Amino acid sequence: MNPLDPDEPNPAGLGPLGAGPLAADPHRGSPFGSPAARPNPLAALHDDQVIAVVRAHRIPDAAALCAALAEGGISWTEFTCTTEDAPELLRRAAQAGHRVGLGTVLTAEQAEQGVAAGASFLVTPGCRPEVAAAAHAAGVPVVLGALTPTEVAQALDLGAAAVKIFPARVFGPAYFNDLRGPFPGVRLVASGGVTAGNAADFLEQGAFAVCAGSDVVRPELVAAGDWAEITRRARAFVQACEFGVRAR
């Protein structure tokens, strides 16, 4: 039995994407139901593996950017609150049919803006209780940031659909294998310092997915609208991941 496979039996009672034991779900009984009871858009990451994180000052065409990434094999895009007008950019991409989320979410207000714009998931750089509460209230999965085992446990207590280990470069790929010991059913996402050169290593060591940042979506390429180069970089990143044997 593999706890990372959503299609296999789950006698331990883990919620989807390792959202903690169902019996301990702090959101059970809410008007929106528990995170485990709702369909989770992040489940498809089990196969897709990669989220493109766009941290650029200027994005001339959000939908075209997502299309360029998708052509290169990356169908998940995270816009960040550090980009001006991020909710509006997200809205345009979502209306074009792309799978998009809002990242670097620090407040409930930002979370609500992202949901209103069409975000299918929210991401934080650390454990943010008010963001988790807003996400649950809206029925949108949240990926909470953590680094230490204590923070991973806190993220699970807050009902995280997955836990982003950030910055992943600090302890490297082997750290994900270490975390699988105490957290065998948790979906861990590697973010920060992940490149085409090490992405497969993170996946082999147990990461559920990896974030492709400036290695693929360099701010200057985004600002220039160089979609062909972004597609090339996305394809190279995905191909590098496919060389790794995923730990499932």
Side-chain angles (χ1 to χ4, degrees):
M1 194 275 291
N2 188 337
L4 294 182
D5 190 339
D7 297 323
E8 291 194 10
N10 188 9
L14 288 172
L17 299 184
L22 303 188
D25 181 4
H27 304 281
R28 182 176 294 277
S30 77
F32 298 96
S34 73
R38 297 191 299 266
N40 195 325
L42 295 184
L45 265 178
H46 183 260
D47 297 315
D48 293 338
Q49 305 184 104
V50 183
I51 302 173
V53 179
V54 185
R55 196 176 296 282
H57 296 298
R58 179 175 176 271
I59 303 175
D61 190 331
L65 169 59
C66 291
L69 288 166
E71 185 176 348
I74 300 177
S75 59
W76 298 75
T77 304
E78 174 191 328
F79 294 98
T80 66
C81 289
T82 54
T83 298
E84 187 176 358
D85 295 327
E88 180 57 31
L89 293 167
L90 188 152
R91 186 190 310 278
R92 294 171 189 170
Q95 289 176 341
H98 297 288
R99 182 182 285 156
V100 289
L102 185 63
T104 319
V105 180
L106 297 176
T107 67
E109 180 181 7
Q110 289 175 331
E112 291 162 358
Q113 289 173 347
V115 171
S120 58
F121 61 97
L122 301 173
V123 186
T124 72
C127 289
R128 307 294 296 175
E130 65 177 282
V131 174
H136 291 310
V140 173
V142 61
V143 181
L144 295 177
L147 183 60
T148 68
T150 297
E151 292 168 347
V152 171
Q154 182 183 0
L156 296 178
D157 288 343
L158 292 171
V163 181
K164 181 180 78 172
I165 302 302
F166 174 80
R169 68 165 63 89
V170 172
F171 297 126
Y175 185 53
F176 284 74
N177 190 48
D178 293 335
L179 288 174
R180 290 183 68 200
F183 304 110
V186 178
R187 273 52 175 173
L188 301 174
V189 178
S191 179
V194 181
T195 69
N198 63 20
D201 293 334
F202 282 103
L203 293 169
E204 288 172 354
Q205 292 292 330
F208 181 69
V210 294
C211 292
S214 59
D215 197 44
V216 173
V217 280
R218 297 186 66 85
E220 61 269 26
L221 294 176
V222 174
D226 193 343
W227 311 133
E229 177 61 15
I230 288 174
T231 293
R232 186 194 70 78
R233 287 171 175 265
R235 184 173 293 117
F237 191 98
V238 170
Q239 289 175 343
C241 290
E242 291 174 349
F243 283 115
V245 178
R246 299 198 59 193
R248 293 182 183 271

